[in-house]
Amino acid sequence: MLLLVGPTDVGKTTLALRLLERAGEAYLLDLDPGQGALPGAFSLFLHREGRLLLARRALVGALSPAGAEGRALVAALRLARLIPPGSPAVADTDGLLDPEYRLLQAEALSPAEVMVLGSEDLYRALAWRRDLRVRLARPLPEARRKTPAERRKNRQERLLAHFQGAGPRVAPLEGPPLWDRLYGLLDPEGFFLGYGRLLAFGGGEGLFLTPAKGEVARALPTRLAFPTPALPG
């Protein structure tokens, strides 16, 4: 596995997709809960014939690993364990520059190489470890810095797309209802099925508007608020 780390908007995702195209069939471990495929979650994809096929998702429940480091590390490790041994894989991360978190992430994932794009400080914070192969690279020339408004719009569009085709379903719900938060619906193995908007609550169960399919074993509140009043339901 190649682990790509560095600040936001240096071209990590663009580079990851280029490498996948070159590899042919390979895995993408999307570890960006803010600007990744689905806000608040990590995703594992199989890249095959130019397409990204979703394999599994794990819930982080926040838009950054900051403050949720433990859950983020476990989520990344659980998805990484699903990659068949010997399969080429690229892990694309968010822009958090916390050296301690990045070192723990590298220790958990055991990548063949860590590539640091656009941060000499982060490179030095990792390169002292002799058991890690760390390389420094420049940001991609075509990388463009996004505004906060663009980032919010991107998250909103992806959450709205996630809810397309959503319908009502009942799921177990413990604790007091949190009406202003999205819930993460988990399967019996703890993997993430999809988000749910709580519509009603009673008797240890909740009625959710959700696109989630499959058996739901637990509903966990996240730090994500409703993206917009236009959310279905």
Side-chain angles (χ1 to χ4, degrees):
M1 177 190 296
L2 172 65
L3 177 63
L4 299 176
V5 298
T8 57
D9 301 326
V10 292
K12 297 189 297 294
T13 301
T14 300
L15 178 59
L17 293 176
R18 287 180 182 174
L19 293 173
L20 291 171
E21 289 289 347
R22 187 175 301 175
E25 184 166 308
Y27 285 86
L28 170 65
L29 188 55
D30 175 4
L31 303 180
D32 186 348
Q35 293 293 302
L38 182 61
F42 290 163
S43 304
L44 176 64
F45 295 95
L46 172 63
H47 179 270
R48 176 186 290 163
E49 297 179 352
R51 298 177 58 200
L52 287 175
L53 308 174
L54 179 65
R56 285 285 183 91
R57 281 194 165 116
L59 179 67
V60 177
L63 297 177
S64 170
E69 291 88 351
R71 177 174 287 185
L73 290 169
V74 171
L77 180 57
R78 293 202 71 200
L79 291 176
R81 286 174 174 169
L82 300 177
I83 301 173
S87 298
V90 179
D92 180 23
T93 66
D94 64 292
L96 185 64
L97 296 178
D98 180 1
E100 183 177 357
Y101 173 72
R102 288 302 171 207
L103 184 56
L104 290 173
Q105 187 179 57
E107 290 177 337
L109 298 178
S110 298
E113 182 176 4
V114 180
M115 180 179 290
V116 182
L117 274 71
S119 176
E120 294 186 8
D121 289 342
L122 184 57
Y123 170 76
R124 287 192 294 269
L126 301 177
W128 65 273
R129 284 283 295 268
R130 293 183 179 179
D131 58 331
L132 293 176
R133 183 182 177 189
V134 185
R135 181 156 48 115
L136 178 64
R138 294 180 179 178
L140 297 188
E142 62 271 35
R144 183 183 67 85
R145 192 157 195 84
K146 304 181 189 69
T147 67
E150 287 176 315
R151 293 181 176 279
R152 287 193 297 271
K153 181 181 178 182
N154 179 59
R155 289 193 292 266
Q156 183 182 80
E157 289 176 347
R158 297 192 180 197
L159 281 172
L160 288 173
H162 175 69
F163 272 89
Q164 294 303 308
R169 67 174 300 178
V170 174
L173 180 60
E174 299 177 2
L178 300 178
W179 304 103
D180 62 339
R181 290 288 179 265
L182 291 177
Y183 280 78
L185 305 186
L186 308 183
D187 70 11
E189 295 181 346
F191 287 103
F192 179 50
L193 295 171
Y195 287 115
R197 176 180 182 179
L198 185 61
L199 303 176
F201 170 76
E205 292 183 326
L207 177 64
F208 294 92
L209 179 72
T210 177
K213 307 298 182 183
E215 181 182 356
V216 177
R218 185 173 291 265
L220 295 179
T222 72
R223 299 181 186 177
L224 280 68
F226 295 151
T228 170
L231 189 64

